[in-house]
């Protein structure tokens, strides 16, 4: 059970004056699976990468769903060491969400200073973007700026960065 449930999440959004919409759908675990719901939800769809660097720091990156992030070049942008994907048990412990449900909104469950949240520059000002609400059977649409405001309200220092992409 998550430390904070969706009810608390939505209450925080209302309290902050954030406009949002919730769209229920079948469970999606990958960007490919989410293709089926994209037509029904008008927003810029996102994906989230839960990463760990070589010295043990954790990162949550929110990027456009179709972006292929160059993880070998991200450390030079973020000033960290080599990155790899974080283990599911660490994600569940730190963010209180299961794999497939990772979302910037799970920062509500993270203790300040435990995870560095980074939003790709290309979506920071976009309205609306789509993210999961602590589960992968719904998508919440809100602005990128509002996501960063929520993360800040929960005691974290969000970062906006131009994350390097792999060119097709």
């Amino acid at each position: 059970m998550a430390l904070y449930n969706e009810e608390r999440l939505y209450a925080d959004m209302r309290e902050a004056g954030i406009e949002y919409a919730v769209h229920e759908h079948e469970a999606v675990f990958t960007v490919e699976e989410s293709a089926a719901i994209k037509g029904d939800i008008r927003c810029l769809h996102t994906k989230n990468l839960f990463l760990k660097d070589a010295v043990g720091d954790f990162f949550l990156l929110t990027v456009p769903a179709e972006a292929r992030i160059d993880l070998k070049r991200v450390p030079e942008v973020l000033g960290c060491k080599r990155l790899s994907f974080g283990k599911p048990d660490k994600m569940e412990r730190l963010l209180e969400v299961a794999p497939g449900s990772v979302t910037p909104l799970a920062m509500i469950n993270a203790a300040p200073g435990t995870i560095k949240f980074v939003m790709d520059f290309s979506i920071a000002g976009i309205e609306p973007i789509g993210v999961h609400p602590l589960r992968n059977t719904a998508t919440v649409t809100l602005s990128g700026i509002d996501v960063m405001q929520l993360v800040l309200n929960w005691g974290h220092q969000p970062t906006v960065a131009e994350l390097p992409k792999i060119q097709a």
Side-chain angles (χ1 to χ4, degrees):
M1 180 87 185
L3 181 61
Y4 291 111
N5 61 23
E6 278 185 70
E7 186 176 310
R8 167 70 190 275
L9 177 67
Y10 299 139
D12 281 5
M13 286 193 253
R14 287 189 302 273
E15 188 176 303
I18 293 172
E19 292 184 28
Y20 66 95
V22 180
H23 308 270
E24 300 290 335
H25 53 72
E26 295 294 320
V28 292
F29 294 90
T30 65
V31 171
E32 292 76 26
E33 288 179 3
S34 70
I37 65 164
K38 284 184 180 180
D40 296 333
I41 304 172
R42 296 196 130 163
C43 65
L44 184 137
H45 292 269
T46 62
K47 68 180 173 185
N48 298 279
L49 306 173
F50 179 70
L51 306 170
K52 181 182 174 191
D53 78 358
V55 297
D57 291 332
F58 290 93
F59 296 81
L60 178 59
L61 279 54
T62 298
V63 303
E66 292 77 24
R68 293 181 57 216
I69 301 302
D70 187 344
L71 292 180
K72 290 181 182 175
R73 293 182 39 226
V74 170
E76 65 194 50
V77 173
L78 299 182
C80 63
K81 301 293 182 188
R82 181 183 51 81
L83 289 166
S84 60
F85 286 95
K87 303 276 187 223
D89 64 317
K90 296 288 187 188
M91 177 193 312
E92 291 174 3
R93 183 175 59 78
L94 294 170
L95 291 172
E96 295 283 331
V97 293
S101 298
V102 68
T103 170
L105 300 180
M107 294 297 288
I108 192 173
N109 292 327
T114 58
I115 299 175
K116 297 174 183 175
F117 174 71
V118 181
M119 180 175 282
D120 188 63
F121 177 80
S122 68
I123 62 174
I126 297 293
E127 201 172 310
I129 65 170
V131 297
H132 289 311
L134 309 177
R135 60 185 169 96
N136 65 355
T137 56
T139 296
V140 172
T141 54
L142 68 167
S143 77
I145 290 171
D146 287 340
V147 169
M148 290 185 297
Q149 183 59 53
L150 285 166
V151 170
L152 189 63
N153 290 354
W154 296 324
H156 307 281
Q157 184 58 53
T159 300
V160 175
E162 192 162 349
L163 298 169
K165 319 280 188 304
I166 296 172
Q167 303 303 317

